[in-house]
Structures are given as C-alpha cells and as structure tokens.
Amino acid sequence: MFSRYALSLPRLPRARRLIHSSRPHPTGRSFLDSSSTADQHSVYHYAHRHSQPEPPVLASIRNTAIARDPTEAQKMVSSLQGAFLRHLVTTHRPKSVLELGSYIGYSTIWLAQGLKSIPGSTLCTCEIDQEIARIAEANVKLAGLADTVRVVNAPAEHLLDEWDPSNKLDLVFMDANKSAYIRLYKKILSRDLLSDNGQIIVDNVLFHGKVHTNSSIEDGVAKVEPSSKGIARKIHSFNEFVASDPRTTQVLLPIFDGLMLIQKAK
C-alpha cells in the first residue's frame, strides 16, 4: 500500500519519498532519534507493517486521488497517520467531531471509522472548494458513512462562526488553510466550542521540516529566520502563540508532518 503511493509521487531521493507517504519532504527525525535516513526508512516501514492496514475503500480513494492529480493528492494524510487518527478516536471516544479541511474525505473516513462503536456520534467536515467537497461527500457515501458524516462546502472560519456553542466539540482535527491556524484556534476558544475534555489535533505544524530548520533560539525564544517566508513563518507563529497561551496545554509531536495536540488547561 505504502510503496504504491510513494511510487506514484514525483521522483525524489529514496529516503525522502519513503519517510512520508503523503508528503514529499520529511519532517526531520520523524520516528527515530537517529541521524541515519536509512534508519528512518526502515522504522517507517516496520511501523507500517505492524499497524492497522488501510481498508480497501480507503486504498481505492487514495489511488483515485493520485491518478487524478498526484500533486494535490499530497494533501492527504498517509495511511499510517490515518490509522493513528482512528486510534485516537476509538480511545478518546468523542461524540462530536469537527474536521477543518476535508480535501477529498480520506482523513474524514479514517476519523469516522473510529466513531462506529460510539452510539450517537457525529462528524462534521468542511471543504472550501465546491467540486472537491462533492468528491468528499461521494467518498463518504462510498465508505458507508453518510449517516455519520456531514460535508459542508464552506470555509473553516465560516463554519466555526456558525457553530452552535451548545454543541460542544470533543475532537477537532485542524488541517485547513495553514495561514488561518491562529484565527481558527482563537475562534474555537473564544466561542467556547471545545468540551472540557476535548482535544484539538493540528496537522502540519512542522511543515516539511521548514519550521524548525529555519528557526533559532534567542534569549530562550525560538524565532524563524527572516529568510524563511510564507507558510513556515505563519505556522511558527501559531506554534509560539499556542505555547504561550495559558488557556491550554499542548504537546508538539515530531511525527508525520508534525502534530500538535491541544486541550484546555486544568
């Protein structure tokens, strides 16, 4: 499964292609505290072989997306990250899940599959592109999850503005416009949308290794170098903002493309 996806991406040096199935650039020492890219390559495949396999419906959706547009298909999480998200759902057992940024519904379906054993649970996801939102909705139906998942064709910020605060969110997976991460985070907290034990999972917080590799420490504070532009700078600002926010606690995990897990401070 993993090798078919990796081989469908544009040609890259071997170690880089095989660290992430959904990203052409590695985060860094993704799974292993080792300077050896060969070790990273080996441990990723070992982890993949000993994790929950990708269901056939998801493999079909992934392969179709790659055939349609290999570059855009890199927006998908890897099957290993999908299995990780599903595992978080099954252990956390949320009743109300919100995904900000669906793309074609690949990660949506992984999340929703974790809800199968949770009676009355629902998942709402949004996609700003109308055509892609239709594909996501079709894929959700193909996976037999239309009764659990609602796909909304709207920007993430609009969805949060319209969300009923009485419908507390137990889990939020944030994978939308990276430039809007701080605004999305602020809306969730300022409108008190997160349940007391709820969790926000934010993807791509190391962004292809461009965030931490372009930062330096001055007086104990991490700063992105002036030469680092665009999304990496904005994600660094988000990471710094959350780390200094007393309303929440967080852990940034150097796995996949960087995951940050956030919950209310107790």
Side-chain angles (χ1 to χ4, degrees), residues 56-128:
V57 66
L58 281 166
S60 175
I61 289 169
R62 176 173 51 78
N63 288 328
T64 299
I66 294 167
R68 180 177 181 269
D69 190 330
T71 301
E72 284 293 297
Q74 293 173 30
K75 292 180 178 179
M76 291 186 293
V77 302
S78 67
S79 60
L80 186 60
Q81 184 174 347
F84 176 74
L85 292 172
R86 175 175 176 170
H87 184 79
L88 287 181
V89 170
T90 56
T91 53
H92 189 57
R93 297 189 64 79
K95 296 282 286 187
S96 181
V97 178
L98 177 63
E99 181 186 41
L100 300 175
S102 174
Y103 183 47
I104 61 165
Y106 184 80
S107 56
T108 311
I109 294 169
W110 273 110
L111 288 164
Q113 286 189 339
L115 295 173
K116 285 183 177 180
S117 63
I118 308 170
S121 58
T122 59
L123 189 156
C124 180
T125 187
C126 65
E127 170 55 47
I128 193 170

Side-chain angles (χ1 to χ4, degrees), residues 110-252:
W110 273 110
L111 288 164
Q113 286 189 339
L115 295 173
K116 285 183 177 180
S117 63
I118 308 170
S121 58
T122 59
L123 189 156
C124 180
T125 187
C126 65
E127 170 55 47
I128 193 170
D129 184 284
Q130 187 176 51
E131 180 187 356
I132 300 300
R134 289 195 185 112
I135 293 173
E137 190 170 35
N139 285 336
V140 166
K141 290 179 180 178
L142 182 66
L145 294 165
D147 292 338
T148 302
V149 177
R150 178 166 66 101
V151 179
V152 179
N153 176 211
E157 291 183 73
H158 176 76
L159 183 59
L160 289 175
D161 285 335
E162 298 295 319
W163 195 266
D164 180 0
S166 67
N167 180 15
K168 298 299 183 188
L169 296 165
D170 302 311
L171 182 65
V172 179
F173 180 52
M174 193 185 299
D175 193 19
N177 177 12
K178 315 308 172 194
S179 299
Y181 271 9
I182 289 181
R183 296 195 301 274
L184 297 175
Y185 171 82
K186 284 182 175 180
K187 284 181 184 291
I188 293 169
L189 293 183
S190 65
R191 301 199 65 230
D192 194 25
L193 302 181
L194 196 65
S195 66
D196 288 342
N197 294 313
Q199 186 163 224
I200 305 171
I201 303 172
V202 189
D203 200 12
N204 307 119
V205 293
L206 293 177
F207 199 66
H208 313 327
K210 295 179 180 179
V211 177
H212 73 284
T213 55
N214 288 289
S215 67
S216 59
I217 304 296
E218 294 181 16
D219 299 324
V221 177
K223 297 182 179 180
V224 172
E225 299 297 336
S227 60
S228 178
K229 299 179 181 179
I231 294 177
R233 288 186 61 85
K234 291 175 181 178
I235 291 178
H236 172 71
S237 295
F238 168 78
N239 293 340
E240 288 287 305
F241 184 85
V242 176
S244 62
D245 188 348
R247 297 173 296 176
T248 59
T249 59
Q250 72 290 321
V251 57
L252 195 161

